[in-house]
């Protein structure tokens, strides 16, 4: 006799552990960008040096997929998540109490921990609620975006609230991390789970000879370069245009949250299109134009341009992941295409904050630095037109 199907409400209840995990999965990274002007003044760091705080974490994302077969040997998925959350909490603690070298070391550790969680949560969903994967994935991605936006919003007010300075901004996320990892460790201590996380080590190398696979990978990379290259510096750019640092963080936070909320629905509607070529082309153009407007405009209208750019980036991110599904033939190829796209894409993205920061350091002009995302947006439109084809990639 078959078991009755799980309802949506039951699936949400089952998904509580990964919802708790998702709270921790972006704040440790996004909280740094509004604090860069403070860190720059306090430690006399260049824009290029500060960019490494983001780049180091993103480089860890690039190698995460190939690291997972080794991580899977730690134990089952629950144990991997529990211990990774603990590592993430330790990294934030070291950042809070450490010096400048510890800032960079903690960025590497935060990047590795988040990378492992990025890969582990879909595995957990597949193991525990495979028939409700879309529902649970949508919820935990929304939670990630919400708390990322919240971390940006409160970072500067907390940094200016006491003599602790920027270190106080880390405390809420350290407390949340400790509580979350403690909850997970208690959960696995009561669990009878055995074995290892199921992670296939097979990779379809033939994809490297397929132009379609490369177009998807480069599209993912350009989208990631745009996100990390601009998210790192947007609060600083707004300050240069007359905003206070606190207001700049709030504006970036709100527009990022609204963009994420709109982007959630993108895969559902885009999947109904015969192909996504024209849609992706115009998304790229929209992003390019919004960053061009940031160069020439000022005042309250900057909020509109930021919102438009965030909508474009929030829509193209899930679609870049969706392409690995719609253009692959089977699950094994989907995984391989996803590994290829994310590894190449995040490797490209790791250079973006440094490029933007280096251009500013050499020109002392954020207008010159903003030409980078304008050019990347145009490239995203062109590559998206080829990546959005409907044809399957046969290997």
């Amino acid at each position: 006799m078959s078991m009755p199907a799980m309802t949506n409400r039951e699936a949400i209840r089952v998904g509580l552990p990964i919802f708790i995990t998702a709270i921790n999965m972006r704040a440790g990274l996004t909280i740094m960008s509004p604090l860069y002007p403070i860190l720059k003044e306090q430690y006399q760091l260049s824009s290029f040096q500060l960019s490494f705080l983001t780049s180091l974490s993103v480089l860890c994302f690039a190698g995460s997929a190939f690291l997972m077969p080794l991580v899977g040997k730690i134990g089952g998925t629950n144990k991997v998540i529990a211990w990774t959350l603990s590592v993430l909490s330790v990294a934030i603690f070291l950042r809070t109490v450490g010096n400048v070298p510890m800032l960079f070391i903690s960025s590497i550790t935060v990047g590795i921990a988040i990378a492992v969680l990025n890969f582990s949560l879909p595995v957990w969903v597949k193991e525990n609620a495979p028939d409700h994967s879309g529902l649970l994935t949508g919820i935990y991605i929304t939670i990630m975006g919400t708390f990322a936006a919240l971390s940006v919003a409160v970072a500067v007010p907390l940094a200016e609230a006491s003599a602790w300075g920027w270190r106080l901004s880390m405390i809420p996320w350290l407390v949340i991390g400790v509580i979350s990892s403690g909850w997970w460790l208690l959960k696995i201590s009561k669990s009878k789970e055995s074995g290892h996380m199921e992670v296939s080590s097979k990779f379809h190398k033939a994809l490297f000879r397929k132009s379609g696979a490369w177009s998807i990978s480069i599209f993912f990379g350009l989208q990631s370069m745009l996100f990390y290259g601009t998210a790192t510096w947007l609060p600083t750019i707004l300050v240069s245009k007359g905003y206070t640092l606190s207001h700049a963080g709030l504006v970036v936070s709100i527009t990022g949250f609204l963009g994420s909320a709109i982007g959630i629905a993108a895969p559902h509607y885009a999947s109904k299109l015969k192909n996504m070529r024209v849609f992706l082309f115009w998304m790229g153009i929209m992003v390019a134009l919004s960053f061009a407007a940031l160069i020439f405009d000022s005042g309250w209208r900057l909020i509109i341009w930021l919102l438009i750019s965030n909508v474009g980036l929030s829509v193209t991110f899930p679609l870049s992941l969706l392409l690995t599904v719609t253009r692959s033939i089977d699950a094994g190829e989907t995984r391989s295409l996803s590994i290829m796209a994310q590894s190449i894409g995040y490797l490209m993205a790791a250079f973006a904050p440094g490029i933007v920061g280096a251009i500013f350091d050499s020109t002392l002009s954020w207008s010159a630095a903003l030409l980078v995302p304008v050019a990347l947006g145009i490239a995203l439109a062109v590559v998206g037109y080829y990546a959005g084809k409907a044809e399957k990639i046969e290997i």
Side-chain angles (χ1 to χ4, degrees), residues 199-215:
V199 182
S200 172
S201 59
K202 182 181 179 183
F203 179 81
H204 295 81
K205 296 180 181 179
L207 286 172
F208 287 116
R209 299 193 296 270
K210 299 295 181 179
S211 61
W214 278 103
S215 67

Side-chain angles (χ1 to χ4, degrees), residues 21-252:
T21 304
I23 294 172
N24 301 268
M25 285 178 59
R26 284 295 179 269
L29 183 62
T30 56
I31 194 174
M32 298 306 293
S33 61
L35 299 176
Y36 281 174
I38 296 174
L39 295 171
K40 185 173 187 175
E41 181 179 351
Q42 183 171 339
Y43 297 114
Q44 302 302 306
L45 298 173
S46 70
S47 299
F48 185 72
Q49 288 172 317
L50 284 168
S51 70
F52 275 107
L53 293 176
T54 299
S55 296
L56 287 171
S57 295
V58 179
L59 275 173
C60 294
F61 289 3
S64 64
F66 297 102
L67 181 68
M68 287 309 299
L70 179 63
V71 171
K73 295 180 180 179
I74 293 174
T77 309
N78 285 332
K79 183 176 287 187
V80 169
I81 293 174
W83 285 111
T84 304
L85 272 176
S86 300
V87 170
L88 180 59
S89 300
V90 170
I92 295 176
F93 172 76
L94 294 176
R95 177 190 287 170
T96 305
V97 302
N99 51 14
V100 173
M102 195 56 68
L103 279 175
F104 290 92
I105 293 172
S106 66
S107 289
I108 296 173
T109 312
V110 165
I112 292 173
I114 293 176
V116 171
L117 292 173
N118 280 341
F119 198 88
S120 300
L121 263 61
V123 177
W124 191 96
V125 170
K126 184 176 180 179
E127 291 175 350
N128 293 273
D131 295 334
H132 296 269
S133 58
L135 173 65
L136 297 191
T137 301
I139 292 174
Y140 83 68
I141 287 177
T142 303
I143 291 172
M144 284 166 52
T146 299
F147 280 88
L150 181 61
S151 73
V152 173
V154 303
V156 174
L158 287 175
E160 296 175 343
S162 75
W164 280 29
W166 64 268
R167 299 176 193 276
L168 183 61
S169 304
M170 305 295 150
I171 298 300
W173 310 106
L174 175 59
V175 172
I176 290 172
V178 169
I179 293 173
S180 301
S181 57
W183 185 90
W184 265 98
L185 290 171
L186 182 62
K187 172 181 170 65
I188 65 170
S189 70
K190 297 178 179 180
S191 174
K192 297 179 181 179
E193 179 186 59
S194 60
H196 305 292
M197 185 192 300
E198 293 186 10
V199 182
S200 172
S201 59
K202 182 181 179 183
F203 179 81
H204 295 81
K205 296 180 181 179
L207 286 172
F208 287 116
R209 299 193 296 270
K210 299 295 181 179
S211 61
W214 278 103
S215 67
I216 292 171
S217 299
I218 295 173
F219 182 81
F220 186 95
L222 291 169
Q223 194 280 337
S224 299
M225 288 182 76
L226 275 159
F227 176 78
Y228 289 104
T230 57
T232 302
W233 299 116
L234 279 176
T236 307
I237 291 170
L238 289 178
V239 169
S240 74
K241 286 182 172 284
Y243 286 68
T244 66
L245 187 55
S246 180
H247 287 160
L250 185 62
V251 167
V252 172

Side-chain angles (χ1 to χ4, degrees), residues 313-327:
L313 294 177
S314 296
V315 167
T316 51
F317 174 64
L319 294 188
S320 66
L321 296 176
L322 182 64
L323 287 172
T324 65
V325 177
T326 59
R327 296 201 59 191

